[in-house]
Amino acid sequence: QREPSTKSTAVNIYESLVKPLDFDLIAGIPIAAVPFASSLSDRLGVGQITPRIDIKTHGSGARVDGLKEEDKGKRAVLIDDLVSFADSKIEAANILREAGLIVNDVVVLMDYELGGREELQKNGLTLHNAFTSGQMLAFSLRAGRISPNTLDEVRQRFNRAQIYFKEHLST
């Protein structure tokens, strides 16, 4: 029996995270999440759309690729690889909302724990994640991939980053 590919494993995780949610469309945030969103869309038999954060200078110029007129009023779940500060997720949600969709949920593999969850909440979005950076660090320590000193150093850097960004991005 073959082991599942890394992509297949990631799609399995996304599937488990979206299963309990109420949605009609899957919206992959460019660029990292689009392949995962595509595979998840195929697997679940749910339509896929892509919010364009960067305005296209060619083609139709649509802000949401794949959106049909009859999709207005439907619920879309946002898919991305990770969340740090949530800027791209909030922008994507706003683009979809402006296009007439309902967006309440964001699904990611990892939360870096840099305040993104809280920013999403302020914008009416609920974050669903498979794991956090803290969990990954603890696992890495248990697996012998990092030393206790490295763990402490990384945690200190994350703490300094959180303080910095709270001071500089909350204006």
Side-chain angles (χ1 to χ4, degrees), residues 111-113 132-139 151 155:
D111 176 3
Y112 270 124
E113 301 176 294
T132 65
S133 57
Q135 290 168 328
M136 286 297 294
L137 288 169
F139 173 80
L151 175 65
R155 283 185 174 157

Side-chain angles (χ1 to χ4, degrees), residues 57-165:
T57 57
H58 62 282
S60 69
R63 290 301 313 260
V64 182
D65 286 339
L67 186 67
K68 300 175 184 172
E69 189 61 36
E70 61 266 23
D71 290 335
K72 292 189 177 178
K74 290 185 177 180
R75 294 180 171 274
V77 61
L78 281 170
I79 305 290
D80 207 356
D81 56 344
L82 57 89
V83 63
S84 49
F85 312 113
D87 297 355
S88 62
K89 282 92 177 122
I90 293 166
E91 187 174 355
N94 289 337
I95 290 167
L96 295 175
R97 288 170 174 164
E98 288 167 10
L101 297 167
I102 300 164
V103 185
N104 296 322
D105 298 294
V106 177
V107 175
V108 300
L109 295 177
M110 187 166 77
D111 176 3
Y112 270 124
E113 301 176 294
L114 292 172
R117 178 179 300 277
E118 295 77 14
E119 288 303 311
L120 291 169
Q121 286 173 343
K122 289 178 192 174
N123 286 273
L125 297 163
T126 301
L127 179 65
H128 308 272
N129 57 286
F131 48 87
T132 65
S133 57
Q135 290 168 328
M136 286 297 294
L137 288 169
F139 173 80
S140 297
L141 178 66
R142 286 192 312 273
R145 298 286 185 174
I146 61 172
S147 70
N149 288 342
T150 300
L151 175 65
D152 289 342
E153 183 180 317
V154 171
R155 283 185 174 157
Q156 288 173 13
R157 288 181 183 190
F158 265 100
N159 289 338
R160 285 194 302 269
Q162 286 172 329
I163 291 166
Y164 175 85
F165 289 115

